[in-house]
Amino acid sequence: VPVRRLAPLSGRVYGRRWLVLLLFSLLGFAQGLVWNSWGPIQNSARLAFGFSGWDIALLVFWGPIGFAPCFFFMWLMDKKGLRVTVLLTSSLMVLGAGLRCVPVSDLEIRKKLIHGGQLLNGLAGPTVMNAAPFLSTTWFSPDERATATAIASLLNYLGAAGAFLVGPLVVPSPNGTSHLSLLSQSNTEHIKDRIEAVLYAEFGMVSLIFSAALAYFPSRPPFPPSVAAASQRLSYRRSFCRLLSNFRFLMIALAYAIPLGVFSGWSGVLDLILTPVHVSQVDAGWIGFWSIVGGCVVGIAMARFADFIRGMLKFILLLLLSGATLASTWFTLTCLTSVTHLPLTTATLYTSCILLGIFLNSSVPIFFELFVETVYPVPEGITCGVVTFLSNVFMGVLLFFLTFYHT
């Protein structure tokens, strides 16, 4: 009897992988856009909805709070696959964006609905920030994996950058923000109408992405793209034991979580931080926008470079973190004008903040690739879930102290 030979596991890639990557990246873009809606227009939001400085910081704080059930989403992705996880995540985003649009005349109720909507959007964070390496391993060949990870992970940051651009350009800033009580009622209503227009537009975009994912978003391809994608991974419990006992992984995780977590929270309330040095809402928005966009462009370029030249991940990270250290030192010394006597100008603020964002944000996909390679065969979703959870812990610590910034 002739023996039927099995096809070798050399891997096969499908053209539809780019469609899957596009849908997931758009979902991450929308989540970042909704999360960062309020920080860039904090002065206008205070006037239109009666938000306090504590409210503005809390609206950003719902992002890291949403990572509380992070391990549930990691388990769901490991057991049920990408489709179920993405559909649950996008449905939470639709519900959250819809809550922010409920037309209630009572400002206290409206504020609670907006906070609830931001929390639901924050619950989508674990998936859009953790699943990128899992998606790239499931659908892409090894020589495309770092690039796919970069695109899927950095589009979430690009959405936050879009909020820096859309908010200040669509929503007018109040004239004389230090005397909000003196503004006319008509100006207040105009600002409120423009904010609501942004909220409706974001709700429509999130609903469209959810409909597309519902129509087509498979969990995995018919055949795996590589041997690594087809291999058996560790169980959920064994994965955590492996991660927590791996000293090298813990050091890399801290190197990722501390700077990226602090910077994400800091950039989310950049307008609140720069207001005392008389930086306008529009200028703060442009600073945040270009810092994230530059980081996304450089990050994708670095990931493509890492796809071609293996074994350079640590060297690339050292260069990027060295640049971030110099840029943050420059920004700090510039702001301490009473001590250093350095000029505090728009040009120095733009340059130092943008360089800091470029160096830090572009390190994200390189870190993710290093995590996956360090702890293989731990599933990618669990690995990145642990490090992004740590990152959001540090973001939460920063925002917790910033909630008292207005006092």
Side-chain angles (χ1 to χ4, degrees):
V1 179
V3 179
R4 183 182 177 185
R5 299 184 63 183
L6 296 176
L9 287 176
S10 57
R12 178 181 175 185
V13 293
Y14 298 83
R16 73 190 80 164
R17 69 191 186 280
W18 297 109
L19 176 59
V20 174
L21 178 63
L22 175 63
L23 286 176
F24 183 84
S25 301
L26 288 176
L27 188 69
F29 178 89
Q31 199 272 342
L33 181 68
V34 173
W35 168 72
N36 198 31
S37 297
W38 301 100
I41 56 171
Q42 56 103 10
N43 284 320
S44 303
R46 289 176 189 235
L47 175 67
F49 297 104
F51 286 134
S52 63
W54 184 86
D55 281 313
I56 298 297
L58 183 59
L59 287 169
V60 182
F61 197 17
W62 289 123
I65 290 176
F67 268 75
C70 174
F71 300 110
F72 164 75
F73 285 97
M74 289 158 41
W75 172 86
L76 188 67
M77 184 165 51
D78 187 43
K79 298 298 182 182
K80 302 297 182 182
L82 271 176
R83 178 173 173 81
V84 174
T85 311
V86 166
L87 289 181
L88 175 60
T89 297
S90 54
S91 62
L92 289 173
M93 289 173 57
V94 170
L95 183 58
L99 276 180
R100 305 189 312 164
C101 299
V102 177
V104 179
S105 57
D106 189 328
L107 279 183
E108 287 302 316
I109 298 178
R110 186 70 189 274
K111 286 165 64 175
K112 291 178 181 178
L113 290 174
I114 291 174
H115 279 287
Q118 291 297 119
L119 173 60
L120 290 174
N121 182 75
L123 292 174
T127 300
V128 300
M129 295 186 69
N130 297 342
F134 181 77
L135 182 146
S136 62
T137 303
T138 304
W139 283 92
F140 289 84
S141 60
D143 59 343
E144 297 174 332
R145 199 174 63 204
T147 305
T149 300
I151 295 172
S153 59
L154 290 178
L155 260 289
N156 179 253
Y157 292 83
L158 194 60
F164 281 117
L165 181 63
V166 172
L169 291 182
V170 175
V171 180
S173 58
N175 299 317
T177 54
S178 59
H179 305 287
L180 299 180
S181 60
L182 302 179
L183 292 170
S184 64
Q185 184 66 25
S186 60
N187 190 31
T188 303
E189 289 299 322
H190 175 64
I191 292 176
K192 186 176 180 181
D193 290 341
R194 299 302 291 271
I195 293 178
E196 289 181 340
V198 172
L199 297 182
Y200 282 120
E202 291 175 351
F203 173 65
M205 180 181 64
V206 171
S207 300
L208 185 62
I209 296 172
F210 169 71
S211 301
L214 186 63
Y216 180 78
F217 196 94
S219 285
R220 57 181 59 86
F223 295 97
S226 63
V227 175
S231 62
Q232 184 69 30
R233 302 303 174 89
L234 296 181
S235 65
Y236 194 72
R237 187 179 66 179
R238 289 187 62 195
S239 296
F240 277 102
C241 294
R242 176 73 66 89
L243 292 179
L244 296 179
S245 61
N246 190 327
F247 180 77
R248 180 180 298 176
F249 166 76
L250 294 177
M251 290 297 100
I252 305 172
L254 287 177
Y256 168 86
I258 296 174
L260 267 299
V262 170
F263 179 75
S264 296
W266 179 81
S267 61
V269 289
L270 187 60
D271 182 30
L272 182 68
I273 292 173
L274 294 181
T275 294
V277 290
H278 309 293
V279 175
S280 69
Q281 184 170 281
V282 175
D283 277 332
W286 280 113
I287 291 173
F289 174 77
W290 286 116
S291 65
I292 298 177
V293 169
C296 292
V297 173
V298 176
I300 293 174
M302 287 290 183
R304 195 66 193 141
F305 175 74
D307 274 332
F308 285 109
I309 303 178
R310 313 302 295 180
M312 298 283 289
L313 297 180
K314 179 180 179 179
F315 178 72
I316 294 173
L317 284 178
L318 288 176
L319 289 180
L320 294 176
L321 292 177
S322 298
T325 302
L326 293 176
S328 59
T329 303
W330 182 16
F331 173 82
T332 304
L333 294 178
T334 302
C335 290
L336 296 175
T337 52
S338 60
V339 178
T340 61
H341 303 290
L342 293 174
L344 178 61
T345 64
T346 304
T348 56
L349 279 176
Y350 265 78
T351 307
S352 58
C353 288
I354 290 173
L355 285 176
L356 177 59
I358 288 175
F359 286 124
L360 282 182
N361 289 326
S362 60
S363 69
V364 172
I366 308 299
F367 265 117
F368 280 179
E369 279 298 302
L370 191 60
F371 289 136
V372 172
E373 291 186 4
T374 302
V375 297
Y376 181 85
V378 176
E380 293 84 357
I382 295 176
T383 304
C384 296
V386 170
V387 296
T388 52
F389 179 81
L390 279 176
S391 174
N392 278 269
V393 168
F394 286 102
M395 186 199 304
V397 170
L398 172 73
L399 293 174
F400 174 77
F401 286 106
L402 281 178
T403 54
F404 305 103
Y405 185 73
H406 66 286
T407 61

